[in-house]
Amino acid sequence: MAMSIRDLTPFFAPRSIAVVGAGERASSSGGAIMQMLRRAGYGGRVVPVNPKGGTIFGYESVTSIAAVDPPVDLAVIVIRPDAILDAVKECADRAIRNLLILPGGFAEAGPPGIARNEALLKLAAERGLTVAGPNCAGIIHLDPKWRFAATFLRDLPPGTKGGADANGLAFISPSGALAEEVIDKANARGLPLSSVVSVGNAAHLGVEDYLGWLGERPEIGAALLYIESIEDHEHFRAVARNVAAAKPVIALFGGRTGIGAQAAAAHTGAVANDDAAIDAFCASCGIVRVESLRRLLVAAKAFGRFPQGLGKRALILSNSGGPSVLCADRASQEGLELGALPKAMADVLSQQLPAEASVANPIDLLADAREDRFALAFEAAMAHAAQDYDQVLMIHVVPFMVDAGPVIARLAELAAKAPLPLMHSMMGTLPDKADWFATMERAGVPMFNDVEEMAEAAGLLARYPALRESARNGVLPTAFFRDRRRV
């Protein structure tokens, strides 16, 4: 039976908005919102609300919410906390039912804030309002068909180019600072992050509400979550399983230690989590759990390219012994299977590689391997091992005597037509790193600086298929897919 998902279109793709507290000054919250709307290329109607009136960022403003005519789909409120309740009443009077409240000063702010929060909830219930936030950094949704950003985060994520293979990533977090960090890393690493939600105190809309709506969007290929507390476990589980049955959900839980739980309570009023219970809960939800922000970003890299996950059987193809050993160790710890080479492939390599090369899994082509040797091993794997492995992890160390440019050009050419999923790691001093990485990424190959991180990505991808099946058929996996690494 299909789940009933709350329609959050007014919060992600409104056709009209009012910015209550809009201004021209870039360092003000109202100015930041107006600026980001423009940067995102928002194409809807914008009504700035400012008592001084005038033109703000090219839009004619109104002096009060009562003057917003006709009513808008969404009001974005960025005024001082003690004035917010009055603004909410004015929005209700003007038939504006959806509110995104960014300032804090509510449940997280001691007795006065708790009282203000209770008054907000009471007013919203009486007037039929839906509130996102408060105490949040806003919402970004860069759907190529309708781009929107109501946020005072400093930057926009890269988004995607659109089309059938968009595979955009969504990040949902109660922490605006973590949203800022994930956006920064997405831009630096070329991750297809297109939607970012700063949940804040979640007066009405919690992580599960955003997850449910984004999970149904065809432009979103995977959802990344940072969670500090869950109020309704059964509802969250139902939503997460529904999404995980179709696309990956990867979660990082904060507040899982005594000290962390105290910090989470001070941050958003969160309730403490029990670490062991989180493991079991994630497994029951079909969620891939990670235990660090770094691992969450590794998962973003992996699932941004392979949103349906990959199988466990991996082949390591390297030109260096040490890195291949580290990669094999990490791959094993991640639960990957490094099966022996098929005989036909081993025969080809044994006949044509130098005697010193290692014809095993990992394959070691030796440090002086050039494009011909890499191509030989690559083509042998594709011709004779495509049925034996689910993914190939390639390692490329660049010694002084070898020009890596032709190697990269040949591998990118072969990768574009490869029947097996590929990842590639380059280590050492890389004079043309940016160009080499870009060439391989254009060929559809995720690039890594670190062989262990590449193996971690492969391991995270290998966890999802079993979790997806458990989410589809309602049966728990035989083992919890817990992130066992304490990093």
Side-chain angles (χ1 to χ4, degrees):
M1 183 175 66
M3 284 194 61
S4 176
I5 299 297
R6 191 194 292 249
D7 182 14
L8 300 185
T9 302
F11 292 91
F12 286 88
R15 265 40 186 180
S16 57
I17 71 167
V19 181
V20 182
E24 284 276 5
R25 186 163 50 88
S27 59
S28 68
S29 297
I33 297 294
M34 297 298 296
Q35 202 166 231
M36 295 306 278
L37 284 167
R38 173 173 287 181
R39 286 186 58 190
Y42 175 64
R45 172 175 159 239
V46 179
V47 183
V49 181
N50 187 302
K52 296 179 181 179
T55 301
I56 299 176
F57 279 87
Y59 297 100
E60 192 63 32
S61 70
V62 297
T63 58
S64 68
I65 295 170
V68 177
D69 188 27
V72 292
D73 294 338
L74 176 68
V76 181
I77 299 178
V78 282
I79 56 179
R80 66 181 192 273
D82 64 308
I84 287 177
L85 289 178
D86 287 338
V88 171
K89 291 174 186 175
E90 291 174 30
C91 285
D93 290 341
R94 194 66 197 93
I96 300 171
R97 304 296 180 199
N98 302 298
L99 312 176
L100 172 57
I101 303 176
L102 279 72
F106 289 82
E108 83 291 352
I114 292 171
R116 185 179 294 124
N117 192 69
E118 290 174 352
L120 173 64
L121 293 176
K122 183 175 183 292
L123 176 59
E126 291 171 349
R127 304 299 296 271
L129 310 177
T130 301
V131 176
N135 188 32
C136 73
I139 293 174
I140 300 170
H141 187 56
L142 302 183
D143 179 354
K145 297 176 183 177
W146 190 263
R147 293 167 60 91
F148 175 69
T151 180
F152 48 59
L153 294 169
R154 287 180 174 271
D155 204 357
L156 294 175
T160 68
K161 296 179 181 178
D165 299 322
N167 294 336
L169 298 171
F171 179 55
I172 306 169
S173 166
S175 167
L178 288 185
E180 188 101 64
E181 176 68 6
V182 169
I183 289 171
D184 177 68
K185 291 299 185 290
N187 282 308
R189 303 180 187 186
L191 307 179
L193 182 65
S194 58
S195 297
V196 177
V197 180
S198 172
V199 178
N201 292 5
H204 287 153
L205 303 179
V207 171
E208 65 273 22
D209 297 297
Y210 295 113
L211 175 62
W213 191 85
L214 287 166
E216 292 192 338
R217 307 276 71 77
E219 67 271 18
I220 299 299
L224 311 170
L225 312 178
Y226 171 66
I227 298 171
E228 289 182 356
S229 71
I230 296 171
E231 297 300 324
D232 186 338
H233 287 70
E234 290 307 314
H235 178 57
F236 183 98
R237 179 184 290 109
V239 172
R241 288 182 71 84
N242 188 57
V243 176
K247 56 190 68 173
V249 180
I250 305 98
L252 169 64
F253 279 75
R256 57 191 177 86
T257 65
I259 294 297
Q262 292 175 27
H267 178 213
T268 57
V271 178
N273 294 309
D274 175 78
D275 194 60
I278 294 171
D279 285 335
F281 182 70
C282 285
S284 72
C285 294
I287 287 175
V288 178
R289 184 187 178 191
V290 295
E291 291 193 354
S292 70
L293 180 58
R294 187 189 68 79
R295 290 275 283 186
L296 189 70
L297 291 166
V298 170
K301 178 81 170 181
F303 286 105
R305 176 62 184 88
F306 302 111
Q308 290 304 307
L310 298 174
K312 297 180 181 179
R313 303 172 303 166
L315 170 65
I316 299 175
L317 171 56
S318 175
N319 71 331
S320 182
S324 67
V325 171
L326 291 178
C327 186
D329 281 344
R330 175 53 58 200
S332 177
Q333 291 171 333
E334 294 289 336
L336 298 176
E337 298 171 0
L338 302 179
L341 300 182
K343 184 176 184 304
M345 180 181 176
D347 288 346
V348 169
L349 298 182
S350 296
Q351 293 165 13
Q352 300 190 50
L353 289 178
E356 297 85 358
S358 176
V359 179
N361 187 9
I363 299 169
D364 183 359
L365 300 176
L366 305 177
D368 63 348
R370 290 173 169 79
E371 61 271 22
D372 55 346
R373 207 178 293 169
F374 271 98
L376 166 68
F378 189 103
E379 291 176 321
M382 299 305 140
H384 302 294
Q387 302 304 314
D388 297 273
Y389 300 106
D390 301 306
Q391 51 182 308
V392 179
L393 310 181
M394 299 188 295
I395 301 171
H396 184 189
V397 175
V398 184
F400 75 93
M401 77 288 268
V402 175
D403 182 359
V407 177
I408 291 296
R410 183 70 175 125
L411 286 176
E413 176 188 3
L414 293 170
K417 300 173 285 186
L420 276 173
L422 309 165
M423 288 187 273
H424 192 76
S425 174
M426 296 187 74
M427 298 184 68
T429 302
L430 306 173
D432 294 314
K433 174 182 174 178
D435 289 341
W436 295 337
F437 273 49
T439 297
M440 293 297 285
E441 293 273 2
R442 283 194 297 270
V445 182
M447 295 293 290
F448 297 85
N449 297 298
D450 181 332
V451 295
E452 292 181 295
E453 197 164 89
M454 178 174 66
E456 290 176 41
L460 289 167
L461 289 167
R463 294 180 189 185
Y464 175 58
L467 288 166
R468 179 181 60 223
E469 291 310 306
S470 78
R472 288 176 178 175
N473 61 33
V475 177
L476 287 176
T478 55
F480 290 159
F481 285 73
R482 183 185 178 196
D483 182 5
R484 292 178 297 275
R485 299 190 68 243
R486 300 287 180 177
V487 288

